[in-house]
Amino acid sequence: MSKRVFEHPQEEVNGPQYWRSFGQLAQTPEFKEWQAREFQTGASELNPEVGRRGFMKYMAASAALAGLSLSACRREEKTLVPFAQSVEWSVPGKPIFYATSRPHRRGAIPLVATTHDGRPTKVDGNPGHPTNKGATDTQSQASLLDVYDPDRSRRFQLAGKESSEAEFTKWLAGALEKAGDGQGVAFLTEHFTSPTYARLKKAVAAKLPKAMWVTYEPLGGSEASDAHAAAFGADFRTVPQLDKADVILSLDCDFVGFDEGRLEGIRAFSARRKPEQKMNRLYVVENRYTTTGGMADHRLRSQAGKIGAVARAFAEKIAAATGDAGLQSVVDSFPKVSSPEKSAKWIDEATKDLVAQKGKALVLVGYRQPAAVQALGHAMNAALGAIGETVIGRKTHGHGGGNSLKELAVALGLENAEQKKARVEKLTAENAVRKSKHEPELPIAAHGDSSIKTLFILGGNPAYNAPAELKFGELLAGTDVVRHGSYEDETTYSVETDKDGKVTKRIFVKWHVPAAHYLEAWGDGTASDGSHVSQQPMILPLFGGWSEIQLLDFILTGKKSEGLELVQETFKEVARGIDAVSWAKFLHDGFLPAAAPREPIAFNPVTAKEIAAKYVAPAEGMEVVFAPCAKVDDGRFSNNAWIQELPDPITKITWDNAAIISPATAQKLGLGAKKEDGLFDFENGAWLAIEANGAQLEIPVAIIPGTADDSITIAVGYGRTHEGRVGGREGNYMSHGGLFAVKGQVGFNVYPLRTAANHYFATASVKKSNRAAYQLAVTQEHGALEGRGPDVLRQGTKELFDRVPDFAKFVEGMDEYAEERDKQKYPVSRSAYTHPTLNDANHQWGMAIDLSMCTGCSACMIACQSENNIPVVGKEQVIEGRELHWIRMDRYFTSYQSEVRDDENSDKLTTDDFNSREKRIDINEARMVMQPMPCQHCENAPCETVCPVNATVHSDDGINVMAYNRCIGTRYCANNCPFKVRRFNFFDFNERQKDKYFRQNLINEKGMAETLKLSKNPNVTVRMRGVMEKCTFCVQRVQEAKIAAKVKAKDSSNVKVPTDAFKVACQQVCPSEAIVFGNLNDPDSAIVKVKKSERDYRVFDYLGIKPRVSYLARVTNPNPNMPDAPKHVPTQGNDNNDGQREKWKKQQLANAEGGKH
Amino acid sequence: MASAAHNTSEDGIVVLHCPPELAKIPLVNHNRSLNWITENVASICEEKTRRYWWIAFFLFSPIALFVPTLLAYQVGNGVGVWGENQPFGWAWDITNFVFWIGIGHAGTLISAILFLTRQKWRTSINRAAEAMTLFAVMCAGLYPGFHVGRFWKAWYLFPIPNWNALWQNYRSPLLWDVFAVSTYFTVSVLFWYVGLIPDLATLRDRAKSKIKQFAYGIGALGWRGGNRHWQHYEMAYLILAGLSTPLVLSVHSIVSFDFATSIVPGWHTTIFPPYFVAGAIFGGFAMVLTLMLPARLFYPQLDDMITRNHVDKMAKIILLTGTIVGYAYLMELFVGLVYSGNFYESNAFLNRATGWYHWHYYAMMFCNVISPQIFWFKRMRHNYIVVFIICQFVNAGMWFERFVIIGTTLAQDFLPSSWGHYTPSWVEVFTFIGTFGMFISLFLLFMRFLPMITIFEVKAVKPEADPHFHPDGDHSHDSHATATPKGAAAH
């Protein structure tokens, strides 16, 4: 760990200057030397006059003394150093909150960071900001860990050798002097939304007018901006208003997952998923399950390449139904492609629904789809009267502009085949001449000469993720590259390996400049709604990194600034003036509202028509889809252990990506699909050899129901060759027990298959590869509910809900059976013990989770991990089944009764239906449902009675608490937990070094990286091995609130925590607000209102355990006319129900329906 | 009949005789003398160590060393070196615990219950069976101690007064286990030791070396065989037998509560206590035979004391308890699958029979229910090889039973999302093998240094020990002393 220096924030530039010492003020050479010296002056240093003999004498004497006193056997001494001088506003033990934001290419995400003693320990959404209102996403939560990542680049590097900031600045000043007007200078940057960055960029561009500027994002939306420009004009983009839409058609748009809208979209969408209000209806066409597809009322599987055809079919029908000329003209210009026949009725009925809800309908097209398809989407929205209603316009964040990456590549020496041939021929001829003259021959380089002398790469990792045909990594060799990045990764240096994977050569760029994390640097950004957000540093850069604005400013001024004055300068422009009040308010609130949150836009069919005409239908056959990863994004989070260990929301795979295929495709390819007794056996891990765009990839499969046939989806961002100990490191550094396909690489890199033209999908030739099955670390092996739906996951349709609002209470599960028995005065399933009275009359904590709203995004899992210091366990231990997440996101595949196939001899792949073992369903069409499963805090907890040492007990305020100190680890509680939510520390995961993924013993050296220790939440115990742990309802937050109430109450007796005064971590992060937590003894609290819902039910209530966590039944809103609509209510039940229960249930339903049944 | 029943002796006195099929089968064959018994039992401890004892000991004692080595490795690293996971909080550890504890039942049952019910055939096997009990309970006791995550805190399980006034959770069956097993072990040790005292005195008196005299002398507690000694001894032994009898039934009942009182379908059944006890006796007798049959091979003189008759009786008990266990399996299946009306119960049992671990279930059924049925045939009961093989089936079957109860239940319980698989790690496999090494090594030491057969009790069951005994046609006092009745030959 580098030394932490706590400094007061920089004073305002105009204000008085303060200094800590005269030396600092003077910046004298003595002071600088004093800073640089390892040992202070006067400290004993080796006297050069002591000769060999003298040295030996001293050593012998000290060794003897050391041996006598056994001083070598002493334990390592550790000291705690307190703040020598207290910081003015810092109260020990009290966190300080700062508003800040995380830069993101689709708009900065406004955050509030929690800092303890000057170190950020948690980030959350900014509750004041309209886009997320306190919610965040998985990656923002996990980004905290990156601050403390010991693998982040820590040094200035000159051609692979450690250098210093001073040398770099010296070199840079010289280089800029030579650069003149910028000829031969190029900038390659990520897409920054920061206004300060934009301002500085403009200034630099003015200083170096001939410099080349390239913005590259591997998952950027250049197709989307082209379509927007064509449809609405270059400055505008559209933003869906999901709360206003009654019917939504999503054509491969993962708006609740990864696409446009994100947090804003999820919030607006799920607000309309409450069946108590008017529900929206979602139609989704996609090639693989995304969280959006999981929320769909109707879902059509289609290859990603066929989405264009489906969109055209929709557009054609909408044009016919609405008679909209603009749409008609776009459709007409769109080349004729036919959509699959079997989906005709689906499209027909969905169109009718959309047209019927004109003005409240919305069509969304995924931003990665070709611009032509997106233009169709805009045209459909125009025809459906969505523009201005369900779709509004906003100014773009200024999408780069400048040159394209390809232009840069050409400038760096990329040649086409002819050019290369010509050059090689020319050189060969010259060499022949030289040979005859006995002169040394010229080397023939792999690429042409570079016209760029200095290339600045700000962020990003183009060598890893640039389109494959550019071979970008190779082009960097001929140029002085200044690489500003967080990791010494593929762009910083490339490696050459021999056939055993041993590194033979490393080729470094000229300069590597460590980048500061966003929590370490001043900055700003533009949120997705156009508001100006602040970015404040929480801690000085741990590894001395620079922010990109510091680097740009250095290029401008030749001086290193703190960044603060740069942001203030921009703020002056944005806020039209600056004063102490407005600046302080900006920092406090974290944002300045957008001047114009919506812009009037009008659809322009003429230009849209032109772009639609450019559509090229992909070839038929197998396709490979390069999907953005819900976890590692484009690969930038791949060294984040929280992210790697988070199960993918759909596949539940950790520590890897895989080729997602449908069961039918698996069978077609002859792998992993076995059909026995009508049951389908998933066998993940068989290998596929995929060839696309001239590159090959071998990758194991994950067979996921609901995937389109002949479509292979692979998440990008894996298979890093060198980055860090988590995401991938060259050579043999990581001890994962040889569990990865390539030593030291996590997952499989699909970027080499991806070209600029086929950046989203490509036709591929695929065949089975006969390698031994690969072990994927999957956290949920079993995806069917096995007839347990009625007890575990209750669901119904809006139609049923309207008829029988409390339908969830009448399902034919064991609970209903128990209730019935209760009525008959049978003492069934009730505890033999009277559970202790819960004495706290003021507080009884409870939670409710709305399954209608939960998208399964799994952000709660990371939020919980961050808040509760939950360690990662590594791939091997996940395979062993020892992951430690306190909240589990259960994902099930289910089916409506209407999809049950009665003909048992059908050769369709079938599996256990969730309703019955007898009935069969087509699992290719299975529906997906999610259920977050934290500790249920049963009032009559089965875990508590069986603990022999009273380590898990109930608190007076109704929390099932764990006393870690008391726990001896019998694991009986975990066995007796019906929800299996207790987690056991099989090893000392906290005491394990980062590069040692498992087992530490008493002999080995232990301990985590120093920086990682800083990331821990000081209010939560860091558990040792051998103890059980589990969700505590964030007891530290509960206690904090209770203490605050007590302090406030002073002598009065009112110690009740104010209504909904705090949130627990999973609730706080939840973008769809599906999780509600609060005080059940407070009639005003949100939880009391939610629990009164008729949909409220408790899982396994029949056991008499009284869970404090309840679920609200999942209600979908299917269109009865659709071909895949449920024909009747899912009558859930099990096989051994007797006639009595059936009769009773029918009677209940009849009563409820007023005899309508 | 009368002609067969009445014989006239040489000197014309009519002697009453039963027909041979009704004659009491003698408990000691060949009508061995009392001295012969003392000589032949004590000689095992006194003679030069036999070569095959050394071979056996050098074979098994290194295996026994697996136990401390691997337990140290496990405590040093964490329970993670075993294969357990979520949802398998328990797997081989508790399976092996219940397995060994079950084996530990036969000894005390033989000593206590058969003692109280005056089953005289117990005398030649009770010492060894009790020793086996102790060693099995030692093996068993390792597991609950070491399976915990923090071994160094396992003392929290004991009610030690402390400053925090923290006590155990008396509702937890795991705590009942601690008390039940420790009580059982304590009483079993006492019972065994009290029964040993007279024989230790015999060994002391026969010992030739000072060390042996001293060692056996310490153990014999100054026993001189006085009338008063015998009176106290008989009373103490009776009291301990009375104490042990309920313990035999309670220990495994309480072990079964670990499962029966939980709410996990497949564990939560009221049939467990009797079914566990029957299973324990079943497995215990199989292990007694597993040890005694080779012991007879080692020391052929034991043949006359541990007779075919003994083996036959034990085989019958195995048959009886095996059938009880089979009944329990089927009843459990019927109740769970059909009668409970509980979806989760029926699925738990369906999963046992058809789920991922179904072959364990069928192995259990075959070994425990079907294989002992061969004991309906006397010829099979009398064939030592068959008996030994069946006993091995039973030993394996009882292990499978425990794994079926623990493993298959935890593999698939309530929520399908958390269903999981389990594979034992090499550490737990070798720890288990190590416990066998430990068990057998201890038994070998016992055989070598302590009288394997209760000398004085075997003497007591000889016909001439009966005060009313009259050897045929000989009323002289000498005959009592020499104890060589003429007409009493069994064959």
Side-chain angles (χ1 to χ4, degrees), chain B residues 472-486:
Chain B
D472 291 347
D474 189 349
H475 292 266
S476 73
H477 288 285
D478 281 356
S479 67
H480 280 277
T482 54
T484 45
K486 283 174 190 164

Side-chain angles (χ1 to χ4, degrees), chain A residues 929-941:
Chain A
V929 288
M930 300 284 192
Q931 185 173 41
M933 189 58 73
C935 170
Q936 305 282 302
H937 294 273
C938 312
E939 282 172 26
N940 199 0

Side-chain angles (χ1 to χ4, degrees), chain A residues 781 788 791 882 946 971-972, chain B residues 82 84 89 172 258 413 421:
Chain A
E781 294 176 11
R788 286 135 207 256
D791 285 326
R882 293 167 181 172
V946 299
R971 305 185 291 287
Y972 197 175
Chain B
W82 289 352
E84 288 162 349
S172 169
D258 282 349
D413 68 342
H421 291 275

Side-chain angles (χ1 to χ4, degrees), chain A residues 743-782:
Chain A
K743 221 170 208 175
Q745 280 187 30
V746 178
F748 304 86
N749 185 5
V750 76
Y751 279 117
L753 269 60
R754 193 175 179 256
T755 60
N758 296 319
H759 67 97
Y760 181 41
F761 49 80
T763 49
S765 69
V766 180
K767 63 177 193 294
K768 183 180 164 180
S769 172
N770 289 324
R771 290 171 71 169
Y774 180 72
Q775 209 165 11
L776 290 165
V778 182
T779 58
Q780 186 180 348
E781 294 176 11
H782 207 82

Side-chain angles (χ1 to χ4, degrees), chain B residues 74-88:
Chain B
Q74 181 244 316
V75 171
N77 283 285
V79 185
V81 299
W82 289 352
E84 288 162 349
N85 55 26
Q86 343 271 348
F88 283 88

Side-chain angles (χ1 to χ4, degrees), chain A residues 1014-1026:
Chain A
L1014 298 177
S1015 68
K1016 302 287 180 197
N1017 180 353
N1019 291 336
V1020 179
T1021 314
V1022 175
R1023 281 81 55 187
M1024 75 177 306
R1025 80 169 145 97

